[in-house]
Amino acid sequence: THAHLRKKKQSSGARAARSIDKTSFPFPEGGRERESMAAAAGRTCVVVGGGIAGATISRDLARRGVKVILLEKGPQLCSGATWHAAGLVTRFAGSPKLKKVHVRALELMEELHDEYNVGLHLTGSLRLIEKGDEDRYMEAQHHYEMAKLYDIKGLETEWVSASDVAKMHPLVDTKDIDCALYTPRDGDVDPTSLTTTIANLGKSYGAQYRLNSTVTDIEKTDGGFRVSLENGDPLECDLLVNAAGLWSNLVASMLKQNVPAYVIEHQYVITDEIPELKQLKNRVPVLRDLAGSSYIRQETTGLLIGPYEPETHVHTEWKHGPPLKWDFQLFDESIGRIEDCLAHAMELLPCMEKTGIQNVTNGPTIWTGDSLARVGGTPIPGYYEFNSLTYGIAQSLALSEYLTGIMLDGEQPFDAANDFFPGRYGTWTNDEYVVEKIKDTYARNNSPSFPYESRSAGRDLLPKNGLYNSLEKSGAVFGMGNGGVESPLYFNTKASEEEKNSAGGLQFKGHQWAPIVQEEVSKVMDGVGISYAAFSKFRLKSDSDKITREFLNKIGTNKAPIKFGTVKLTYCTTPSGKVASEFSMCKNHDVDDGEYYLVGSRDYASFDEWWLQTQAEGSGVSVTNISDDVEILHIAGPESKKLLTSLSDDITDLGFLKMKSVDLFGIPTNVFRVSFTGIMGYELHVKASHAKQLYENILTSEASQEHNLSHFGSFALNSFRIEVGFKFRADLDYVHYSEAGIEFFTKNKEFLGKNDEVSPTKTSKIFEVGAEEEYKWSIPSDCPVMVKDSEEVVGYTTSAAVGARSGKTYAMGFLNKGASSDNLIVSAYGKLWPVTLVDGAPAPVTGRDG
């Protein structure tokens, strides 16, 4: 057993208040609540689908005063995927967004169970770490540390030893077990009891539930939607929620929308009675058999084993879901596909060897390529997605609260747009890619997730433009974000296929690319480098500059530029003042044409497009996402000005935060004097069709040879920006603008959500972390910052990197208001490193000079 392993006092099970505010899921309060209720009272919503998702959102909307009609095509609720679900519920999650959802969902479920008995068994769960599996152990360390930020006080995640596992679950053979993560009050619930209880509550709030109501068509009208039924008169509504689960793509297709998800087969087996289990006084904890890729829970006096098999079957022939008459049906069992998983379960639980299998359930469920739900708005105003819930039983209660906030309050209670926004798989996605991603994600459901890993599945099925091919020839090792864009992480002309396929690497420490990134940084610092900048781009247009400018001033914290060629940074906030988006903004033309150009985060492009369009309704401003139409090349380094001015004299007098339209090699290019590195640099914005030509012309020019132009990727960019205090989107963390460290950019007297009377609870900080060499690049986001002596959590990280100039590790993050800055540590991968608060930024921004 590892020396630091220690058993905490067993939780009493009593629910308690949370210790920090990163977990808050508040309904609107006070005046905003009354305003929201009044607005909701006159609205009508049709919810399509009667599973756990449909029942939950119907209840939550009706509770807020919306007139709700739920349509279920089957003769009963739960007739699709809900009824046969294994019913697991957990507070555990490997990512911070899912952790928030799972903790909140179980909190709500316990409240329901206390009052109505929904068949909830709170046994706790054990996430088993086998001996010798160092990667799994390090990953579990991070999960344990991250949980300190989100666990409810009194229900903290615990490290337990192999002997503790044996005491908690006497049937487990622990000879190969090193330790485990124990999550208290996890367990399972009866999906049908839960759904029907929620539906009955919805009825008590006025929601209507109509069974045998098959939707045949949906028409967008001026006032909302007309929903046609196989039997009965059409329904008129102003809000529409697609909670159709297995049939969600069919419903979406009626509005010419696409759900990039497919029905797959998921199997679990239930054993006969196990005498050893029957003799136990209490139910045993749920097991997460990571090595065997299965969950194992008690089912009466037997066991239920649910494997994530290496080759699940994706029903590509069911683009729009199963046949409409598929109610309470299952697939034929295919136990041969899960034999290896079951064999490992028998090694873990030898009592299974003497027990037969009572039945095999092979049921349909629907998966997206990343296994995450689709929850949020769509390009069609008033139409919302609440489907593809891979873990619907465990997540629906919290995600329904999340969606209700979007629909009625104009903001979600916390930001998970990068995880759940329905449009994250944009127009770049094709069916073949989705299928490969589903297969890979499902098969690797229990594989370790490494911090810089960018999985390659399906990427060879996506179209590649000419610029990609040119960058690849230059040695780019690509990673891929949510925006569907593959951008260079670093450049290595000697990279093997294995290195390219694993991109950022399969390590938690000692990253093999770190020396390469340091060399890229050094070459840029000494001369000039070129890279690809994967940003989103938007064109805003109205009848006049004044109209567009007033719109930007209304939604953003900073005043929109008046003059042509001036660049400004602005942040967009929610009605309650939380930072939701950030953009650079510029007026591109020297005429009063009402057109402005915005640049933002590519990972959030689809969400930002929806958000901007939602805010622009009725303003006279149109919003167009032109991210695929424009590419950006990034030139940075002290020699960057000399390089570019040798290519065009027109750039000589271009000042900081200014833009100029010039011809480079005969190619119209908007040159911006900005650089996310913080050193001297430029961005070259060019039509996508000309990007390859411009890149190759620059690369082969005499000026590039003279100035020894080198390449750098996003890892090197991270190294530069962290040291000058430039924030990623993640560093804003959806906090109130008064907490985000953006005071300089809040120049507008009035903007959406402005309320200077809000008292900040935390402040934006930069931490210097004293990590040893092999861990310098290994500080993840959502690591707790603690007081050393008491281990009291007083802050957290949001991103980190090794500084370009100093070689020290810096982390962006937040510190609780009033917390001492002395004697702090950060906890990551079982290590405790000293933390020093940096006054300002570690290095000055030099890019404005010259």
Side-chain angles (χ1 to χ4, degrees):
T1 304
H2 295 268
H4 79 281
L5 208 57
R6 57 190 183 276
K7 181 79 163 63
K8 293 187 176 179
K9 183 179 178 182
Q10 197 77 346
S11 168
S12 66
R15 292 192 295 277
R18 298 182 178 87
S19 57
I20 58 174
D21 67 354
K22 274 182 74 68
T23 56
S24 59
F25 264 83
F27 275 120
E29 297 175 354
R32 287 197 65 231
E33 180 178 20
R34 290 190 293 273
E35 180 182 334
S36 175
M37 291 289 284
R43 313 194 79 176
T44 300
C45 179
V46 167
V47 175
V48 183
I52 181 64
T56 308
I57 190 63
S58 296
R59 180 204 60 172
D60 286 351
L61 292 175
R63 181 167 57 181
R64 297 284 297 278
V66 178
K67 180 182 178 182
V68 178
I69 301 173
L70 181 146
L71 303 175
E72 165 55 44
K73 68 174 187 58
Q76 298 178 42
L77 299 181
C78 309
S79 64
T82 299
W83 71 275
H84 62 76
L88 291 180
V89 291
T90 181
R91 300 174 203 276
F92 172 84
S95 73
K97 307 301 195 231
L98 286 179
K99 178 71 175 177
K100 290 181 182 182
V101 169
H102 289 176
V103 168
R104 178 57 174 166
L106 248 177
E107 183 179 41
L108 293 169
M109 200 175 297
E110 282 200 62
E111 292 173 1
L112 275 174
H113 183 67
D114 287 347
E115 191 164 356
Y116 302 105
N117 188 1
V118 295
L120 179 62
H121 305 116
L122 294 173
T123 61
S125 69
L126 291 163
R127 194 170 178 86
L128 303 176
I129 314 299
E130 293 202 338
K131 294 176 181 176
D133 193 338
E134 189 65 19
D135 286 339
R136 183 73 70 190
Y137 178 75
M138 290 192 69
E139 181 187 49
Q141 285 279 9
H142 175 53
H143 293 160
Y144 170 70
E145 290 146 355
M146 182 187 70
K148 295 176 183 178
L149 299 174
Y150 302 104
D151 280 339
I152 295 174
K153 189 175 181 180
L155 297 178
E156 291 89 353
T157 301
E158 302 174 22
W159 271 114
V160 296
S161 65
S163 60
D164 291 325
V165 171
K167 293 174 185 176
M168 299 167 78
H169 198 311
L171 305 185
V172 174
D173 182 350
T174 60
K175 69 178 185 300
D176 294 326
I177 302 301
D178 183 7
C179 53
L181 279 185
Y182 175 64
T183 311
R185 295 181 75 80
D186 276 12
D188 64 274
V189 70
D190 180 347
T192 302
S193 293
L194 177 66
T195 304
T196 53
T197 298
I198 292 170
N200 286 331
L201 284 170
K203 290 178 183 178
S204 74
Y205 295 122
Q208 300 177 38
Y209 293 77
R210 300 187 184 181
L211 305 177
N212 298 308
S213 296
T214 300
V215 175
T216 57
D217 191 33
I218 301 173
E219 178 186 353
K220 184 73 177 75
T221 64
D222 290 340
F225 304 90
R226 178 178 293 109
V227 182
S228 298
L229 304 174
E230 188 175 67
N231 299 303
D233 296 332
L235 298 174
E236 303 281 346
C237 61
D238 52 311
L239 298 173
L240 179 68
V241 177
N242 179 356
L246 302 176
W247 295 272
S248 51
N249 214 347
L250 175 63
V251 173
S253 69
M254 296 177 187
L255 287 166
K256 296 181 172 56
Q257 300 294 296
N258 177 53
V259 174
Y262 276 96
V263 173
I264 68 169
E265 298 181 11
H266 178 68
Q267 300 185 84
Y268 61 78
V269 304
I270 297 175
T271 69
D272 291 330
E273 182 175 278
I274 298 175
E276 296 93 331
L277 190 60
K278 185 178 181 181
Q279 292 170 8
L280 298 177
K281 182 182 295 186
N282 299 315
R283 289 176 71 97
V284 293
V286 177
L287 298 177
R288 308 286 175 167
D289 177 16
L290 304 179
S293 194
S294 299
Y295 54 83
I296 305 171
R297 71 164 177 84
Q298 186 168 341
E299 176 71 8
T300 62
T301 55
L303 292 172
L304 183 152
I305 305 100
Y308 287 89
E309 61 198 74
E311 294 291 339
T312 188
H313 184 70
V314 181
H315 284 267
T316 55
E317 76 279 12
W318 285 354
K319 175 64 177 174
H320 290 158
L324 288 175
K325 297 302 181 183
W326 184 284
D327 297 321
F328 299 103
Q329 294 188 51
L330 299 170
F331 300 112
D332 293 336
E333 66 182 60
S334 184
I335 198 167
R337 300 206 311 251
I338 57 176
E339 279 183 344
D340 290 345
C341 298
L342 295 178
H344 195 276
M346 289 180 186
E347 293 177 12
L348 182 66
L349 298 158
C351 61
M352 286 178 57
E353 295 178 2
K354 301 174 288 183
T355 306
I357 292 177
Q358 185 182 108
N359 63 60
V360 180
T361 296
N362 186 9
T365 185
I366 187 166
W367 271 55
T368 57
D370 54 14
S371 80
L372 298 173
R374 292 167 47 81
V375 187
T378 71
I380 301 175
Y383 171 58
Y384 298 87
E385 300 268 10
F386 189 30
N387 55 62
S388 309
L389 275 75
T390 304
Y391 309 104
I393 306 303
Q395 297 174 354
S396 284
L397 273 72
L399 287 180
S400 177
E401 198 172 58
Y402 179 90
L403 179 57
T404 299
I406 294 171
M407 295 176 67
L408 301 186
D409 306 325
E411 60 181 293
Q412 56 270 39
F414 77 97
D415 180 31
N418 215 23
D419 294 66
F420 301 129
F421 185 67
R424 65 186 182 274
Y425 284 117
T427 55
W428 54 271
T429 312
N430 57 51
D431 291 341
E432 293 78 13
Y433 171 80
V434 173
V435 170
E436 287 305 307
K437 283 293 290 182
I438 290 171
K439 289 180 178 179
D440 182 70
T441 303
Y442 185 89
R444 299 170 70 174
N445 184 71
N446 286 306
S447 298
S449 294
F450 298 96
Y452 294 98
E453 179 185 10
S454 185
R455 294 179 177 177
S456 60
R459 279 159 52 178
D460 59 324
L461 299 170
L462 296 176
K464 305 290 191 291
N465 61 28
L467 181 57
Y468 173 96
N469 295 329
S470 294
L471 290 167
E472 186 177 42
K473 289 178 182 177
S474 296
V477 177
F478 293 95
M480 185 170 175
N482 265 20
V485 176
E486 296 182 76
S487 55
L489 303 177
Y490 59 94
F491 287 79
N492 181 12
T493 55
K494 298 178 181 178
S496 64
E497 286 303 311
E498 181 181 2
E499 181 179 348
K500 292 177 182 178
N501 288 335
S502 63
L506 306 180
Q507 306 93 23
F508 289 102
K509 61 180 180 178
H511 304 286
Q512 83 276 1
W513 42 260
I516 298 173
V517 171
Q518 183 56 51
E519 185 178 357
E520 289 181 0
V521 165
S522 298
K523 287 182 177 179
V524 173
M525 289 286 292
D526 293 339
V528 59
I530 185 170
S531 189
Y532 170 72
F535 293 118
S536 61
K537 308 99 184 173
F538 298 94
R539 181 171 58 240
L540 273 59
K541 179 80 172 167
S542 74
D543 291 338
S544 72
D545 287 353
K546 182 181 178 182
I547 293 173
T548 308
R549 190 165 59 248
E550 287 179 348
F551 169 70
L552 286 170
N553 289 339
K554 175 185 174 183
I555 66 167
T557 61
N558 202 6
K559 293 181 179 180
I562 297 175
K563 295 182 179 180
F564 160 69
T566 298
V567 182
K568 287 189 176 183
L569 180 64
T570 192
Y571 295 87
C572 298
T573 55
T574 70
S576 67
K578 296 174 182 176
V579 182
S581 299
E582 62 170 335
F583 300 102
S584 296
M585 49 185 178
C586 178
K587 178 170 167 46
N588 271 1
H589 302 141
D590 196 14
V591 293
D592 186 356
D593 61 357
E595 183 170 318
Y596 276 74
Y597 180 64
L598 269 59
V599 179
S601 167
R602 191 58 176 264
D603 279 355
Y604 285 83
S606 59
F607 172 81
D608 286 343
E609 177 183 11
W610 170 80
W611 191 87
L612 287 168
Q613 289 175 345
T614 300
Q615 302 305 314
E617 287 181 30
S619 69
V621 176
S622 65
V623 177
T624 307
N625 186 347
I626 56 172
S627 299
D628 292 335
D629 302 329
V630 178
E631 299 285 17
I632 303 174
L633 297 176
H634 185 184
I635 309 287
E639 298 291 305
S640 57
K641 183 174 182 178
K642 291 181 181 179
L643 170 68
L644 286 179
T645 53
S646 67
L647 300 179
S648 173
D649 292 337
D650 293 333
I651 301 173
T652 305
D653 60 350
L654 186 61
F656 182 61
L657 290 179
K658 298 294 181 180
M659 184 278 294
K660 197 171 189 180
S661 298
V662 304
D663 278 357
L664 291 177
F665 304 101
I667 299 170
T669 307
N670 285 345
V671 180
F672 287 72
R673 174 75 187 281
V674 296
S675 174
F676 202 53
T677 60
I679 63 176
M680 172 69 79
Y682 300 81
E683 288 179 1
L684 313 181
H685 295 231
V686 61
K687 283 185 177 181
S689 56
H690 295 157
K692 175 179 182 293
Q693 181 184 352
L694 179 61
Y695 168 75
E696 292 183 347
N697 285 347
I698 292 173
L699 210 60
T700 58
S701 67
E702 291 183 7
S704 294
Q705 310 306 313
E706 178 184 348
H707 294 284
N708 295 315
L709 180 67
S710 61
H711 285 86
F712 67 100
S714 61
F715 288 169
L717 179 65
N718 193 15
S719 185
F720 280 111
R721 70 92 200 174
I722 195 84
E723 213 165 38
V724 293
F726 288 175
K727 298 177 186 294
F728 280 154
R729 179 74 165 261
D731 297 316
L732 302 171
D733 201 43
Y734 201 60
V735 300
H736 191 268
Y737 67 85
S738 64
E739 301 171 329
I742 59 172
E743 295 82 4
F744 182 79
F745 303 101
T746 54
K747 304 294 187 182
N748 281 329
K749 292 182 178 179
E750 296 293 334
F751 55 82
L752 179 67
K754 183 167 185 179
N755 182 359
D756 292 337
E757 295 181 4
V758 172
S759 298
T761 61
K762 50 184 172 278
T763 54
S764 176
K765 295 293 183 182
I766 300 178
F767 307 106
E768 180 184 325
V769 182
E772 56 259 44
E773 189 65 32
E774 65 177 344
Y775 285 96
K776 278 191 170 184
W777 281 94
S778 298
I779 310 301
S781 63
D782 288 81
C783 280
V785 176
M786 302 181 292
V787 178
K788 182 178 181 180
D789 296 333
S790 65
E791 293 196 9
E792 176 192 1
V793 176
V794 294
Y796 58 95
T797 64
T798 53
S799 68
V802 175
R805 300 165 179 81
S806 66
K808 297 178 180 178
T809 298
Y810 296 105
M812 295 274 191
F814 291 87
L815 190 69
N816 290 352
K817 198 76 173 176
S820 172
S821 60
D822 299 328
N823 207 24
L824 297 179
I825 56 174
V826 67
S827 176
Y829 301 122
K831 301 283 186 176
L832 299 177
W833 291 302
V835 165
T836 305
L837 293 188
V838 179
D839 186 17
V845 176
T846 59
R848 58 173 63 96
D849 304 329

